[in-house]
Amino acid sequence: MVMAVAFTRYGKLYYLDPGEHSPRVGDKVLVPTDDGPEVAECVWAPQWVSEDVGGLPVCEGPATEQHLERDERNRQRKAEVKVVARRLIREHELPMKIVGVDYVDTRDDVDQLVTIYFSAPHRVDFRDLVRDLARTLRARIDLRQLGARDEARVQGGIGPCGRDTCCSTFLTDFEPVSVRMAKDQDLPLNPLKISGACGRLMCCLKYEHPLYQDFKRSVPTAGCDVETDDGVSGTVIGYNVPAETVYVRDRETGRGVACPKASVCGSRQAYEGAVAQGMRRTPDVDDADEETP
């Protein structure tokens, strides 16, 4: 049995073992964390899955009124911390932007812990700021600087596709993305078109890149002369990889024709076979010339 919860509305999903409990969608449940049980909302009721999933944290049961009151107090405390931190940042004239706040009211090693996530264009000397925050909030302060991608993950948002950003929903690790991936997918190299909410190259460029690589290895390259199974003779002018289609300019009519990948792969194999055969013959001719007196 597996269930899914979220700590914030439309936030990242966390999977749990429901144990002996059967919460419904929308119920508040307790989730074990490093800082003790925290309140989260059930967004995926417990159900059986085909695969054996082990090692998931076990749900600690429904949240009581006391837990809900504590969670609401912590939310209010986070809002107060944001207001105070922004005011002190302006007073110290630091180029910092508050991204998120975590607040822990009780833990074994500290009574109150405030973690403030911020972004900045470069490294910032915030020692004086930490002292003022600790004195004003009367808590232990932990300031953490985030990069552009981590900032987008914490803040969340909507991507160009109209869906929630991958980094704020399911993406756990950031893999390297290069401009070469955009070129291989025939995308315009316009930063506004291939950049995500963080200003970096979109992570989704990596999802379909292997598909484009495999497709282009199995079809004729642009500019090659081909003849399809339907009798169309012309030149390859483009591709539609998701539809597995090759666009060919008909030599007779001059019009572009969309042909299935399977109908032109034979031409690619014949072309490569002819090239390989020609390469095998070339040394024979050279050897014959060398043997001529």
Side-chain angles (χ1 to χ4, degrees):
M1 296 283 285
V2 175
M3 62 177 292
V5 299
F7 290 97
T8 58
R9 183 60 59 90
Y10 307 118
K12 184 178 180 179
L13 296 183
Y14 295 87
Y15 296 95
L16 303 176
D17 182 351
E20 300 178 355
H21 309 285
S22 301
R24 294 178 297 180
V25 175
D27 290 349
K28 300 293 185 179
V29 297
L30 294 178
V31 180
T33 67
D34 295 337
D35 301 319
E38 296 289 341
V39 178
E41 181 179 353
C42 177
V43 296
W44 182 16
Q47 56 183 276
W48 293 100
V49 293
S50 57
E51 299 180 359
D52 184 15
V53 180
L56 295 177
V58 181
C59 176
E60 297 189 6
T64 63
E65 191 66 25
Q66 181 180 0
H67 292 110
L68 295 177
E69 292 177 358
R70 171 177 171 266
D71 184 64
E72 183 60 29
R73 287 196 305 268
N74 289 349
R75 291 179 185 275
Q76 294 177 2
R77 182 64 168 166
K78 290 179 183 179
E80 295 173 0
V81 169
K82 278 188 178 182
V83 173
V84 173
R86 287 170 178 166
R87 175 175 60 81
L88 292 177
I89 287 174
R90 288 195 300 270
E91 292 179 0
H92 287 271
E93 298 181 352
L94 295 175
M96 299 168 58
K97 174 185 174 183
I98 300 298
V99 176
V101 174
D102 279 341
Y103 175 71
V104 179
D105 53 355
T106 56
R107 206 171 73 174
D108 295 339
D109 57 341
V110 65
D111 188 23
Q112 292 186 1
L113 173 63
V114 175
T115 304
I116 301 176
Y117 302 94
F118 71 94
S119 61
H122 49 76
R123 293 183 64 87
V124 179
D125 184 3
F126 48 72
R127 288 174 291 183
D128 295 337
L129 175 64
V130 171
R131 285 194 291 266
D132 290 347
L133 284 171
R135 183 168 51 251
T136 304
L137 299 174
R138 297 183 181 277
R140 178 182 171 185
I141 306 299
D142 185 11
L143 285 176
R144 299 184 182 181
Q145 185 171 355
L146 301 180
R149 293 188 183 275
D150 289 316
E151 179 185 358
R153 169 188 287 176
V154 173
Q155 289 186 324
I158 304 298
C161 59
R163 304 186 63 178
D164 293 336
T165 53
C166 300
C167 58
S168 61
T169 51
F170 66 90
L171 196 62
T172 57
D173 298 322
F174 293 119
E175 298 184 5
V177 183
S178 64
V179 179
R180 170 59 59 185
M181 296 180 182
K183 292 181 179 179
D184 291 343
Q185 298 177 43
D186 299 325
L187 296 175
L189 300 182
N190 184 349
L192 298 177
K193 298 291 185 180
I194 60 177
S195 297
C198 59
R200 306 291 180 86
L201 292 175
M202 292 188 296
C203 296
C204 57
L205 290 176
K206 191 173 183 64
Y207 299 164
E208 296 182 356
H209 186 240
L211 176 65
Y212 279 80
Q213 288 181 313
D214 294 340
F215 182 89
K216 291 188 176 182
R217 277 197 295 262
S218 61
V219 297
T221 58
C224 288
D225 293 334
V226 297
E227 183 174 350
T228 68
D229 296 339
D230 298 333
V232 177
S233 179
T235 305
V236 176
I237 57 176
Y239 313 99
N240 186 345
V241 177
E244 294 192 349
T245 302
V246 179
Y247 293 104
V248 179
R249 176 176 285 114
D250 194 335
R251 189 173 292 107
E252 296 181 359
T253 63
R255 301 176 62 182
V257 181
C259 304
K261 168 187 172 182
S263 65
V264 297
C265 282
S267 302
R268 172 64 177 264
Q269 295 171 358
Y271 171 78
E272 292 180 346
V275 171
Q277 186 176 3
M279 293 178 62
R280 286 196 300 269
R281 279 202 296 262
T282 301
D284 297 339
V285 174
D286 294 340
D287 293 342
D289 291 341
E290 292 175 356
E291 293 175 357
T292 301

